[in-house]
Every structure is written in C-alpha cells, then in structure tokens.
Amino acid sequence: MLAAMPPTPTTPANRGEPRIRERSDACPGALRLHPADDGHLARLRLPGGLLTSHQLTTLARAAEELGDGMLSVTSRGNVELRGLGEECGAQLADVLRDAGLLPSDTHERVRNVVSSPLAGLDGLGCGTVQLWAQQLDALLCASGRAARLSGRFLFALDDGRGDVAGLGADVTLLAADGGSAVVHVGAQAFRIAAGDAPRAALAAAEAFLTAAEDSGTGAWRVRELPAGQAPAVGAQLEAAGIAATRVRADAGERTDPTGAATDGPRAAGAGTEHGSGPGAGPGPQGAGPRPGLVEGPGRWAVSVAAPLGRLTAAQARALLPAPSDEVRLTPWRGVVVPGFTDPDEARARLRALDEAGLITGTGSPWYGVGACTGRPGCGKAFADVRADAATGRDRPGEDAPPTGPDPTGPQPSDSPPQALLPVYFSGCERRCGHPHGEHVDALALPDGTYRVTAGGASVAVATTARLADAVAAARRSTSTTTPTK
C-alpha cells in the first residue's frame, strides 16, 4: 500500500522581484550543440526516459563514433553526448532521426517529460503514466504553440507513489484512484479524468505561455511568473473541453468558486491499496528506485544506477537484451530494465551489470553519490569534482553505515535503505544537475577548497585529502539545508 498522501508536487514559488528574461534560454539540444571545454555537447530529450533496445544501441554507437564514448544520464532522465566535434551536428541528427529519437526538429528541446520509472512494474501506483508520456509527447510535437516553451520547462507524470511529484516540475500530473488524476501548476490543482491527463498537461502549458507573455518578463518556468499573474489553467481546461474540478493543491479537496473546501474526492492515493506485490524497488517518497531486483505481479525488473550518472558504451550494451524491448532511464541517473519472466534470469543480469561496473545495490560506495561535469569539461568549474568524488571511494565501506549490505556484490532492492543522505559535488555555485530534496552539498570554491553543507551547518574543507571524511560524516546527518539554483 502506498502512503496515504503523496507529497504535494513541488513548484517553488517566486520570491522577491520577478526575474526578467531578456533572451530565450540557451539549453542545449540534439540540434543545438553547446560548446564546452571537452568538445561540444548534445542533450537528447527522452519523454518518460523510454528507449528501445535499438535506440540504446544507436546511442552507444554514436557516443563511440562521434563523442567521448560515454552516455551521461541527466537529472531529468535524458541523455547527453559529450566530446562531440564541432562539425558532427548534421551527422548526429541523421543518426537520431533514423532511430526514431528526433520526431520533431522544432520541438526537440521542449520534450521534457519525466514519469514514475516503476509504473506498471511493481504492483504499486494507479496510473498508466508511461502511456501518458507517449501521448503527451505526441501532443507537444503537434502543437505549434508548445514549440515556444523553454527548454527548461518540465512535465512530471506521477503514478501516485510520489516520486517524480517532488522534482519541481512546472506541470505535474498525479494519478489518483477511481480513474482520475490531478493536474498541478504552481499553487493550482484540478481533478480531471485520467483519460484527459495528457491533454490537460498541454492545456496547462499553454496557459503558462499566455501568462508569461502577459507578464512581459519572458518567464521560462512557472515559478518565475510575477505574483498575481498565475496561469489561467481552469479557463484553458474549459476551452479544451476538459471537465475539471478545482481542488486544494495540498490536500486534493474539492473547492467551491470562493476557494472554500468542501467534501470531495479523496486525494491521490488516499486510503487506496494500489497493489500487494512484494516488489520493493521504490525508495522513500520523493526518491527514485533503489538498485536491485524489482518484483511485480508475475514479472521482474532490474534496477541499476550509473556511477556519477555516466554510462560507458559497453555498460549501455550490457543492459541488453531488454526482454520487453524497453529500457527506462530515471531522473535519479539510473536505469530500469523490465520484462523478466524468470527471476533467475533477472538475477543473472543483475550480476552481469555488477561486473560491468554499475551500481546494483544500496551497499555500493557509489550509491547516492552525484557530481556535475566539473573540470576539465566545464570552464566555469573550480575543481575536477568527479575525481574528487571518487577519492576514497575504493576503500571498503566508504560512506557505509556501521552495519549494511556488502558493497562488493549486487543486493536485492528489498534490502532496507541505508541511512545515508545523497551527496552532490558541484564545481561552482550554479550546482548544475543537483538533486531535489535533502542532500549533502559539496561545493568547490574558487580558492581550491570545498564547503560541505549538511544539517543546516557548513564545514570548510581545506584539502581534498580530508574531503572524503567530511562528506562521509555529513551523509550521516539527519537533515540538510538544500541549496537551490
């Protein structure tokens, strides 16, 4: 059974003076390559993180032939290719089109859609959000107006377990019981029929575009809109012919036009047993799947994570063959391979992925460790944060609690989660790709030192030799102050 109330979808409110955007966003895409110190960068949007076996093979080959041989999984479940030559853009575009990875040249940067990675796999949840992702993608690509969205605008499709609802999306669809869903946009929430969910998400995005134009600020995201200029989501839903009931965003209660709460449908997931399968892939609410085996009704899946979010081409191929011709990349820089009918086959694949160097259990010293690109790839970084994150990581039990799983082998995902906070190493104050929620912030400073923040307190670390110990201690904190960009 899921928790009685998934967390309210997070869209941070605008604070202080409204931000004025005087230019369009410069987010890289598959067609708009971004120059970096290690070559050019391409970012490929993958709605729902979905890839076929052929598409994953194509990306691995492109990384080897055109880039640095690596696939970077982003905090939105997308893929980046780095180390690209300046003149390879057209060749890369042709490769992606042939694999069905570039359905629209005009919309390729706005296909930012994350969804619950374990939806339909573990007996939990109450929505077919992977289907929603495909339908929303088609709607976005067919909408000329949607092409004006920023490359940073984000849709989250949550099956009711509360994982991607906590990722700060601009539009969140939260599956509910009784064949309904709730669409959240900032402080607004509307209950709709589940079958209308993809159209409702598009309508909400179009309402945002109108509000952004009316505000004159050039806002890229909902949280950047000035106070008092919230999108007219209800009116846009009505114009689209979508029946909707306004509910309280924090409780799912139905409200009358004055805003007073009335008796109404239960919030998403409230009092509903979404499945009795023993699959224990989900981590804590707001977190992604734990690595290991995921058991569902008559099927098994394999969940792994990429160390520092980077997959070698060989590791990508080791994920295959995919029994259901489907691989799911997660916003927590992990990969889920569903469709195993034999648990022994799933365990064998997990062992093979462990041997390939992927994170297959919570006892791995790499579990929960992330980092931005850092030096030498990023000219804005003050340190080689990936190398610094690796310092001491080969020591047995590094960062591990006093008792915990053996880090040398794959662990089943129903192992109790380790009582360690995630840690993210950032090369500068921008903290690109940092996780949402509680985590330890290891920030490189211009003078070559680090500042490690956890539990509301910061510790200065003068040398990288002391960094591993400082981070290990901070990860055992019970709470953190999470910096925001």
Side-chain angles (χ1 to χ4, degrees):
M1 178 181 293
L2 295 183
M5 184 69 66
T8 300
T10 55
T11 302
N14 178 40
R15 295 180 176 87
E17 294 297 321
R19 175 176 290 180
I20 306 298
R21 298 288 193 183
E22 297 179 345
R23 60 172 177 82
S24 61
D25 77 273
C27 278
L31 300 177
R32 179 194 285 182
L33 303 188
H34 176 75
D37 283 12
D38 58 350
H40 281 67
L41 157 71
R43 182 177 298 157
L44 176 65
R45 271 70 174 183
L46 301 172
L50 297 177
L51 285 168
T52 66
S53 300
H54 172 65
Q55 289 171 337
L56 182 58
T57 300
T58 297
L59 290 176
R61 184 171 64 250
E64 288 179 323
E65 296 178 357
L66 303 176
D68 63 2
M70 305 284 286
L71 298 175
S72 295
V73 183
T74 76
S75 60
R76 294 184 170 190
N78 295 321
V79 163
E80 289 182 351
L81 299 172
R82 301 190 67 96
L84 298 169
E86 185 176 1
E87 304 300 327
C88 78
Q91 181 181 357
L92 176 62
D94 288 341
V95 168
L96 299 178
R97 286 193 192 95
D98 289 345
L101 289 166
L102 198 58
S104 171
D105 288 7
T106 54
H107 293 72
E108 60 103 359
R109 293 192 315 119
V110 306
R111 302 167 64 230
N112 291 301
V113 183
V114 297
S115 61
S116 299
L118 296 184
L121 302 182
D122 58 357
L124 303 179
C126 55
T128 55
V129 296
Q130 300 297 338
L131 178 60
W132 286 358
Q134 296 173 28
Q135 293 173 339
L136 175 57
D137 184 32
L139 290 169
L140 286 171
C141 291
S143 167
R145 188 158 168 74
R148 299 163 63 180
L149 290 169
S150 160
R152 301 187 184 188
F153 194 91
L154 179 63
F155 298 88
L157 315 182
D158 194 299
D159 71 350
R161 73 185 67 219
D163 52 1
V164 297
L167 296 183
D170 298 279
V171 176
T172 298
L173 293 177
L174 191 63
D177 55 340
S180 67
V182 180
V183 56
H184 292 259
V185 184
Q188 303 178 71
F190 296 84
R191 187 175 296 276
I192 56 174
D196 290 331
R199 289 198 305 127
L202 176 63
E206 292 175 339
F208 160 77
L209 286 172
T210 299
E213 292 163 1
D214 292 346
S215 73
T217 63
W220 295 345
R221 307 202 61 186
V222 169
R223 64 171 175 255
E224 295 176 1
L225 291 171
Q229 291 190 281
V233 178
Q236 193 73 35
L237 291 172
E238 182 178 2
I242 299 172
T245 302
R246 183 76 180 262
V247 297
R248 286 179 50 171
D250 60 344
E253 296 168 347
R254 183 159 48 89
T255 60
D256 65 20
T258 67
T262 65
D263 291 335
R266 290 175 297 175
T272 301
E273 185 167 345
H274 297 283
S276 56
Q285 273 197 340
R290 294 196 300 271
L293 294 182
V294 180
E295 184 176 356
R299 299 266 176 166
W300 285 261
V302 169
S303 172
V304 298
L308 299 182
R310 299 270 278 171
L311 289 169
T312 66
Q315 288 172 333
R317 293 189 181 98
L319 294 164
L320 303 174
S324 58
D325 194 32
E326 178 183 299
V327 172
R328 302 181 182 184
L329 305 187
T330 82
W332 296 273
R333 297 179 170 88
V335 187
V336 175
V337 183
F340 292 91
T341 57
D342 182 349
D344 290 336
E345 182 183 354
R347 293 187 186 97
R349 179 66 61 84
L350 194 64
R351 287 192 295 270
L353 294 175
D354 183 67
E355 293 171 359
L358 295 176
I359 300 168
T360 59
T362 56
S364 167
W366 287 102
Y367 180 59
V369 180
C372 70
T373 297
R375 289 181 178 176
C378 177
K380 293 183 172 65
F382 299 121
D384 184 349
V385 291
R386 293 182 183 274
D388 292 342
T391 300
R393 205 102 353 230
D394 57 348
R395 302 202 303 253
E398 178 62 27
D399 283 5
T403 59
D406 177 5
T408 62
Q411 303 296 324
S413 64
D414 56 358
S415 301
Q418 293 188 0
L420 293 176
L421 290 172
V423 58
Y424 197 77
F425 292 77
S426 299
C428 73
E429 290 277 0
R430 296 188 306 162
R431 297 179 173 88
C432 294
H434 71 81
H436 285 262
E438 293 186 327
H439 67 276
V440 175
D441 177 55
L443 177 66
L445 302 176
D447 61 1
T449 65
Y450 272 84
R451 183 172 68 239
V452 177
T453 303
S458 295
V459 176
V461 182
T463 66
T464 54
R466 297 181 178 178
L467 183 60
D469 291 336
V471 167
R475 294 189 70 189
R476 297 187 180 97
S477 302
T478 57
S479 63
T480 70
T481 298
T482 305
T484 57
K485 292 193 287 184

